[in-house]
């Protein structure tokens, strides 16, 4: 069997005495579209932060395509691109430079990177805004820029933390179609979402996290078919 895109073994992440993630283990195969569901504060972003090196692991291990994220961090980080929940673009750079600077974090520079930035801008319909700062973009354009930035170093795994939070129906459909296309071209995708229909529509398998623990992991068809997600969905939309 091939090496999984992501393998998490007994991950624990504590903030002081509080375990935000409490013994999560799972594996995501290359080419999968994988959903991470859970109510606010369940531990989804903390898990993602541990995967991409933004949070130190308290216990357990994480490997990306066989590379331990702590021991082989340089190799591991090159395999993954993150579109975070909150925008953290440099507000003084034009969006083309946002992409080019991001590539620099991976040691990539020069004409090839500029070409890739231009290609991504074109692919995500942002070429006409290339010289604008991100604050001048519409909400949908910012989401697309976030995806483009996550893809600048050609990662094999794309992680999206609530990519469609607060967007209108039309933009959500547009983003779904972009994500499907990326997955169809071979990218492994992990996304967190609060929307059951989004997970159902896009994901091959779904993991549910509750209070830092993994409480379900199955194919979308099984989980939805078994009616398990309906309980979770009600809980998620109660606020
Ligand atoms: P949401 O759906 O609201 O984004 P989430 O599932 O992503 O929630 P996390 O952001 O991972 O949840 O948070 C899990 C728990 O860890 C929460 O109780 C949160 O307050 C806590 N937490 C997250 N980051 C920190 C931090 N830097 N310091 C202390 N506690 C933290």
């Amino acid at each position: 069997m091939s090496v999984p895109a992501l393998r998490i073994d007994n991950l624990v992440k504590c903030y002081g005495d509080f375990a935000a993630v409490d013994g999560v283990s799972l594996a995501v195969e290359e080419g999968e579209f994988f959903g991470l569901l859970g109510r606010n504060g369940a531990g989804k972003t903390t898990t993602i932060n541990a995967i991409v090196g933004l949070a130190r692991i308290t216990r357990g291990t994480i490997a990306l395509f066989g590379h331990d994220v702590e021991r082989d961090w340089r190799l591991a980080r090159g395999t993954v691109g993150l579109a975070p929940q909150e925008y953290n673009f440099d507000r003084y750079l034009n969006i083309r430079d946002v992409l080019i600077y991001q590539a620099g974090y991976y040691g990539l520079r020069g004409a090839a990177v500029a070409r890739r930035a231009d290609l991504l801008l074109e692919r995500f319909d942002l070429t006409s805004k290339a010289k604008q700062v991100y604050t001048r973009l519409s909400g949908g354009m910012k989401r697309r820029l976030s995806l483009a930035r996550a893809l600048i170093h050609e990662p094999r795994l794309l992680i999206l933390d609530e990519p469609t939070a607060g967007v209108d129906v039309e933009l959500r459909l547009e983003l779904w179609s972009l994500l499907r296309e990326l997955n169809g071209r071979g990218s492994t995708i992990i996304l967190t979402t609060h929307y059951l229909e989004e997970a159902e529509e896009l994901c091959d398998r779904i993991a549910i996290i509750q209070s830092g623990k993994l409480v379900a992991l199955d194919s979308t068809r099984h989980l939805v078919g078994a009616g398990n997600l309906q309980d979770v969905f009600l809980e998620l939309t109660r606020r």
Side-chain angles (χ1 to χ4, degrees):
M1 206 159 135
S2 61
V3 179
L6 168 68
R7 187 185 168 99
I8 301 180
D9 283 305
N10 278 313
L11 176 66
V12 175
K13 172 62 192 176
C14 295
Y15 293 108
D17 292 340
F18 172 68
V21 180
D22 193 5
V24 167
S25 297
L26 57 85
V28 176
E29 298 307 322
E30 184 156 21
E32 257 196 298
F33 206 133
F34 190 88
L36 206 50
L37 261 71
R39 61 189 297 181
N40 290 122
K44 304 180 297 295
T45 301
T46 305
T47 302
I48 287 174
N49 286 347
I51 295 169
V52 301
L54 290 172
R56 270 182 189 280
I57 295 169
T58 306
R59 279 194 300 283
T61 57
I62 304 178
L64 288 164
F65 299 93
H67 306 296
D68 185 279
V69 299
E70 290 189 317
R71 250 191 354 258
D72 309 324
W73 62 270
R74 201 183 286 274
L75 280 172
R77 274 181 217 173
T79 67
V80 62
L82 170 68
Q85 203 174 113
E86 314 276 348
Y87 296 127
N88 57 356
F89 303 115
D90 186 320
R91 58 174 52 237
Y92 299 106
L93 292 178
N94 68 49
I95 65 166
R96 183 172 184 268
D97 285 343
V98 163
L99 299 184
I100 290 171
Y101 270 61
Q102 178 73 11
Y105 288 119
Y106 299 91
L108 307 170
R109 54 180 64 85
V113 165
R115 256 196 318 278
R116 172 128 181 105
D118 289 334
L119 272 175
L120 284 167
L121 289 172
E122 199 178 312
R123 181 156 167 211
F124 290 103
D125 207 12
L126 291 166
T127 304
S128 64
K129 303 288 178 181
K131 294 289 172 196
Q132 304 273 356
V133 293
Y134 96 93
T135 47
R136 300 261 174 105
L137 303 185
S138 72
M141 290 170 185
K142 286 177 188 157
R143 290 279 168 195
R144 294 203 300 267
L145 176 63
S146 188
L147 274 180
R149 187 182 62 173
L151 291 168
I152 189 71
H153 59 295
E154 301 189 65
R156 296 162 72 186
L157 171 64
L158 182 61
I159 301 184
L160 310 153
D161 199 354
E162 295 188 33
T164 62
V167 307
D168 65 27
V169 175
E170 198 179 340
L171 176 57
R172 181 167 302 156
L173 293 177
E174 181 191 324
L175 287 168
W176 285 3
S177 132
L178 270 173
L179 297 181
R180 270 199 212 94
E181 187 195 321
L182 287 168
N183 184 239
R185 289 179 185 213
S187 294
T188 308
I189 300 184
I190 298 176
L191 80 92
T192 75
T193 181
H194 287 182
Y195 303 113
L196 174 60
E197 78 275 20
E198 181 160 285
E200 197 179 347
E201 187 69 33
L202 296 173
C203 300
D204 304 315
R205 286 193 304 148
I206 293 173
I208 299 173
I209 296 189
Q210 199 174 298
S211 305
K213 293 184 191 299
L214 187 70
V215 294
L217 198 176
D218 209 335
S219 69
T220 306
R221 200 160 36 89
H222 253 121
L223 271 181
V224 176
N228 296 335
L229 284 185
Q230 279 157 14
D231 296 338
V232 175
F233 185 58
L234 284 174
E235 199 173 15
L236 291 171
T237 55
R238 196 173 49 189
R239 298 181 325 130

